[in-house]
Amino acid sequence: IGEPMALCSEISNRNYLSPIGFKLTIDKAPKSVYFSNQANIPSIDVGVSVQSNYLRDIPIPGDKMEFEDFTFQFMVDENLENYRELQRWMRGISYPESLSEIYNWQISETNKNPDRVRDLERHLVSDGSLIVLTSNNTNNFQIKFTDLWPYSLSTLNFDATESDYNYMSATVRFKYTMYNIIDINGNPL
């Protein structure tokens, strides 16, 4: 009639998730993601409410979910093209020197994809995906981020006293509206 309970609860794929099997896409930062070498699936937390009781306060599930920042690290090319790509995006969001920075950003984004950019907010954010690979290095599933925007780009430290030859890397942190885990065809998992 049906499968025994023990068979239904077993894992169908017994391969472990590899920490090196991923690809990253962010529409507004293609140069940076090309050299990405670390990324994360952000943690989620459900808020906790407290129900008062005369014996002991009882924790109950809250009604808001909090998402950790999305972070990725990338190797910096020697012309700083990928680093400057993110810095221009951040300057376009915040216009630190003059309003012309955001206007130039809007013009460049509209020229890239006039159908996609409809209003000011769409200029500031981008969609992106963290594609997780199988143990055979084929696409397995993806983490789809909506409305990403960078808010922190790490320092680049030059140090002539270093004994090992390490290439420069940078870390960028993003806020976003939502992320969902979906299969490669875009269906929810």
Side-chain angles (χ1 to χ4, degrees):
I1 295 177
E3 292 184 354
M5 184 57 100
L7 293 177
C8 293
S9 64
E10 288 186 20
I11 294 176
S12 60
N13 181 347
R14 295 185 182 204
N15 293 320
Y16 298 118
L17 185 62
S18 170
I20 61 171
F22 73 94
K23 294 187 284 188
L24 190 56
T25 64
I26 296 178
D27 298 342
K28 290 191 187 312
K31 293 177 182 178
S32 301
V33 299
Y34 180 79
F35 289 105
S36 63
N37 58 9
Q38 286 182 7
N40 71 326
I41 297 176
S43 69
I44 57 175
D45 295 301
V46 175
V48 177
S49 294
V50 177
Q51 179 179 343
S52 295
N53 187 309
Y54 69 95
L55 295 175
R56 174 180 93 82
D57 288 343
I58 301 170
I60 58 173
D63 59 353
K64 289 186 181 179
M65 183 175 283
E66 296 292 327
F67 294 89
E68 179 186 38
D69 296 338
F70 172 62
T71 304
F72 79 87
Q73 183 177 330
F74 61 98
M75 302 302 292
V76 179
D77 69 277
E78 68 181 6
N79 293 332
L80 293 181
E81 286 183 47
N82 52 9
Y83 190 84
R84 288 183 297 133
E85 173 182 68
L86 289 163
Q87 193 181 74
R88 276 192 302 275
W89 185 0
M90 293 172 76
R91 285 174 166 271
I93 291 170
S94 62
Y95 46 92
E97 291 184 71
S98 70
L99 287 175
S100 65
E101 286 183 286
I102 196 163
Y103 299 142
N104 292 339
W105 172 256
Q106 289 174 3
I107 290 167
S108 71
E109 288 303 303
T110 303
N111 290 339
K112 286 181 194 174
N113 193 348
D115 295 330
R116 172 104 162 94
V117 180
R118 303 236 189 285
D119 57 20
L120 174 62
E121 290 178 3
R122 293 306 310 164
H123 289 285
L124 305 179
V125 298
S126 178
D127 291 339
S129 292
L130 173 62
I131 300 165
V132 179
L133 306 177
T134 67
S135 56
N136 294 325
N137 287 328
T138 59
N139 295 350
N140 191 8
F141 61 89
Q142 62 182 316
I143 312 304
K144 181 74 175 163
F145 294 93
T146 306
D147 298 338
L148 286 164
W149 54 276
Y151 77 92
S152 175
L153 183 59
S154 67
T155 302
L156 294 179
N157 290 316
F158 293 89
D159 184 358
T161 64
E162 250 193 63
S163 59
D164 292 336
Y165 193 78
N166 295 318
Y167 292 103
M168 291 277 198
S169 65
T171 301
V172 60
R173 298 178 70 81
F174 290 88
K175 297 290 186 187
Y176 52 92
T177 304
M178 178 65 65
Y179 83 78
N180 290 296
I181 302 173
I182 59 176
D183 69 16
I184 295 305
N185 298 318
N187 300 312
L189 289 177

